[in-house]
Amino acid sequence: MTAMRTPERFPPPRLGAWSLMWRWLLAAGWYALVMLAYLLGQDDAELVGAVPPVWAMVADLTLGLVALGLLAVRRRWPFAVALATIAISAVSVSALVAATWAFVSLASRRRWVLTLGAVIASGVASVPRRLLPWSQPTPEGPAGGGDLVVDVLIGVLVVFISQGLLALLGAYVGVRPHRQA
């Protein structure tokens, strides 16, 4: 019986061109989708109050670019990059794919204490995003208002469940002979 591979003894192999390209295209596509949603939402009078002000959109998109830039060193410092992108995603929707990519890359190392730390950080980071003024449901909006505490708790629960599933995906990728997170 062979011993299970450990990340310290077997660093992840370099990614091929296609493996890198589809990941970067997915991250850039999400970024472009957020940018498009911001631009289209500016002209919709029904969304007034639900769309952040221009300065917040520019800050969000700038932070998203910073998060994408951090992905270049995620294999050298997986935990630091995962925490940094998770922290950025606390206030930046455009950084969510970068944070997810960094988290799965960290989970593929199969170091459960670090992965659990990143899951907890994700739950904490989901709270500020729900507290932003343009994230609040209005009584006349489609959500019909509601209790902020319940909304935050449900959001944190959803984050914990999704991060758990992403951790399993990362662990699966990390156990494969030619892992590619």
Side-chain angles (χ1 to χ4, degrees):
M1 179 178 274
T2 60
M4 196 175 283
R5 301 171 20 156
T6 60
E8 295 80 27
R9 294 175 52 203
F10 298 97
R14 294 186 61 85
L15 295 175
W18 173 245
S19 296
L20 276 174
M21 186 174 20
W22 78 258
R23 287 169 172 84
W24 283 108
L25 286 174
L26 177 68
W30 174 258
Y31 183 83
L33 186 65
V34 169
M35 187 184 310
L36 182 66
Y38 280 156
L39 292 173
L40 294 176
Q42 285 298 309
D43 296 332
D44 194 347
E46 187 177 301
L47 294 177
V48 171
V51 177
V54 174
W55 67 266
M57 288 188 281
V58 170
D60 184 337
L61 294 172
T62 303
L63 288 171
L65 284 177
V66 169
L68 286 174
L70 285 172
L71 291 177
V73 294
R74 80 186 185 291
R75 289 174 153 235
R76 183 171 293 160
W77 300 297
F79 186 63
V81 170
L83 285 184
T85 55
I86 288 168
I88 291 171
S89 75
V91 293
S92 173
V93 175
S94 63
L96 284 173
V97 166
T100 302
W101 184 359
F103 177 78
V104 171
S105 185
L106 171 68
S108 73
R109 303 284 177 122
R110 300 177 57 85
R111 301 187 78 194
W112 296 112
V113 172
L114 297 179
T115 302
L116 182 61
V119 168
I120 292 169
S122 295
V124 170
S126 72
V127 174
R129 205 174 21 240
R130 296 201 176 276
L131 298 178
L132 294 170
W134 48 87
S135 299
Q136 301 301 316
T138 59
E140 54 278 339
D147 188 7
L148 180 62
V149 174
V150 172
D151 183 45
V152 168
L153 289 176
I154 289 173
V156 170
L157 179 65
V158 168
V159 166
F160 282 152
I161 291 170
S162 64
Q163 290 298 85
L165 293 172
L166 289 171
L168 290 174
L169 173 69
Y172 168 73
V173 169
V175 112
R176 291 182 7 204
H178 303 303
R179 61 183 190 199
Q180 298 180 352

